[in-house]
Amino acid sequence: MMALNVSIRKSLAISVIGLLTSATSFAFGIPDYYHNLSGHTQVPVKNVFALAKTESNTRLNTGEMLPWPWTINHAGKPYRFVSYGDMISFAHDLIAEGILNFDIGLFQVNWYWEGRHRIDSISELGKVDTNGLIAMEIYRERYSRTQDWTLAAGAYHNPANRNGAADRYIEKYLTHLTALR
């Protein structure tokens, strides 16, 4: 895993506050957190935000649709939690039951296929800053193979495109991406 530099983590952690606050923290319609993550990982900000929206978008009480940081997807069902602690408790329950194949966090990093090979702790992977950095590491790896951010997004979701899953994902991703242009 890429080194989670303390200054990068502090910068991202501070911008997480903007992730969960009002639209006044948005620049160009995209919350500051994603601009900071883009700057630290060299992934274009619109692609970062479109990936997050494709992974964990949810309707807030304000009516806005935004990615939700405390989300787990298990067996095709999303679970959204009111806090990081609730999400991590649920993740630990899944692991205790021997269930390792689930997605966690803002960018829905799969614990079985990616997360546990990149970081030792599900608690750490659930943190917004760590989840974002690891997701961008994966996304950049897919990009290095495809040289196309859209194809990389499909491969982020399903590298083998089993049953056309990556193709369907790309359609959703492009909906979010084109809305930002």
Side-chain angles (χ1 to χ4, degrees):
M1 185 187 82
M2 76 173 114
L4 297 177
N5 180 299
V6 172
S7 64
I8 291 173
R9 292 196 57 203
K10 281 185 182 178
S11 174
L12 289 173
I14 290 168
S15 66
V16 168
I17 295 167
L19 174 73
L20 299 173
T21 59
S22 72
T24 59
S25 69
F26 291 23
F28 308 109
I30 300 174
D32 291 344
Y33 167 79
Y34 302 97
H35 287 275
N36 291 337
L37 185 58
S38 170
H40 291 302
T41 63
Q42 306 307 301
V43 175
V45 67
K46 289 180 180 180
N47 299 87
V48 173
F49 192 50
L51 191 71
K53 287 183 74 71
T54 307
E55 288 295 334
S56 65
N57 220 22
T58 192
R59 185 170 306 281
L60 304 179
N61 291 338
T62 63
E64 288 180 276
M65 293 291 291
L66 288 174
W68 189 248
W70 304 306
T71 302
I72 287 179
N73 187 304
H74 169 58
K77 181 177 179 188
Y79 298 86
R80 291 183 176 83
F81 301 91
V82 296
S83 72
Y84 162 83
D86 290 344
M87 178 185 70
I88 293 303
S89 178
F90 186 75
H92 283 292
D93 290 347
L94 289 173
I95 292 168
E97 293 174 26
I99 299 168
L100 303 179
N101 192 2
F102 61 91
D103 303 329
I104 187 167
L106 187 65
F107 288 95
Q108 293 294 279
V109 175
N110 185 278
W111 177 242
Y112 181 81
W113 292 107
E114 297 285 356
R116 67 190 180 124
H117 304 294
R118 296 173 187 266
I119 197 157
D120 294 332
S121 163
I122 192 69
S123 296
E124 189 64 30
L125 182 58
K127 293 180 181 176
V128 174
D129 56 341
T130 305
N131 193 269
L133 289 169
I134 289 175
M136 292 307 102
E137 180 180 275
I138 297 164
Y139 194 24
R140 287 186 61 79
E141 288 170 6
R142 304 303 192 262
Y143 177 79
S144 72
R145 294 181 197 141
T146 64
Q147 296 301 301
D148 180 286
W149 289 113
T150 299
L151 294 176
Y156 176 89
H157 178 71
N158 189 308
N161 195 19
R162 184 179 314 160
N163 299 319
D167 295 334
R168 287 188 303 280
Y169 185 89
I170 285 171
E171 290 177 25
K172 293 176 188 174
Y173 171 85
L174 284 173
T175 299
H176 294 300
L177 185 64
T178 56
L180 297 172
R181 295 181 182 198

